[in-house]
């Protein structure tokens, strides 16, 4: 039997219904062992500083923040070991 690789996923989405729908869909794929959601820029940065993620779904038009600016912050972050 071949073990399936699992991944950690972060969803940055300010719309709770959208985040929930995406999380439910991803849970159904059985390839993610942890799915975390953040609704704000600050919450996402704090989360990313504490632990690494394999995949990030990023809303580029957050209510009060710019998701593209968050991308500029995420890219240079060193991996957390």
């Amino acid at each position: 039997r071949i073990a399936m690789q699992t991944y950690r996923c972060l969803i940055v989405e300010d719309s709770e219904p959208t985040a929930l729908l995406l999380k439910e869909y991803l849970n159904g794929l059985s390839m993610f062992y942890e799915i975390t959601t953040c609704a704000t820029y600050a919450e996402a940065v704090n989360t990313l500083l504490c632990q690494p993620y394999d995949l990030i779904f990023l809303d580029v038009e957050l209510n009060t923040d710019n998701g593209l600016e968050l991308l500029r912050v995420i890219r240079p972050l060193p991996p957390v070991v």
Side-chain angles (χ1 to χ4, degrees), residues 3-21:
M4 187 171 162
Q5 186 169 355
T6 56
Y7 303 94
R8 298 180 74 229
C9 177
L10 177 64
I11 300 170
V12 183
E13 172 60 63
D14 55 358
S15 166
E16 188 176 346
T18 302
L20 239 139
L21 184 65

Side-chain angles (χ1 to χ4, degrees), residues 10-13 56-60 62 67-68 70-71 74:
L10 177 64
I11 300 170
V12 183
E13 172 60 63
I56 300 172
F57 286 91
L58 176 59
D59 180 356
V60 295
L62 298 169
L68 291 176
L70 179 59
L71 183 59
I74 293 170

Side-chain angles (χ1 to χ4, degrees), residues 16-57:
E16 188 176 346
T18 302
L20 239 139
L21 184 65
L22 182 55
K23 186 173 183 175
E24 282 183 30
Y25 175 76
L26 294 172
N27 275 327
L29 296 178
S30 301
M31 61 188 289
F32 298 100
Y33 70 88
E34 181 180 331
I35 301 173
T36 304
T37 59
C38 296
T40 67
Y41 177 100
E43 187 181 0
V45 169
N46 288 335
T47 299
L48 288 164
L49 288 174
C50 294
Q51 53 193 327
Y53 286 86
D54 300 300
L55 179 64
I56 300 172
F57 286 91

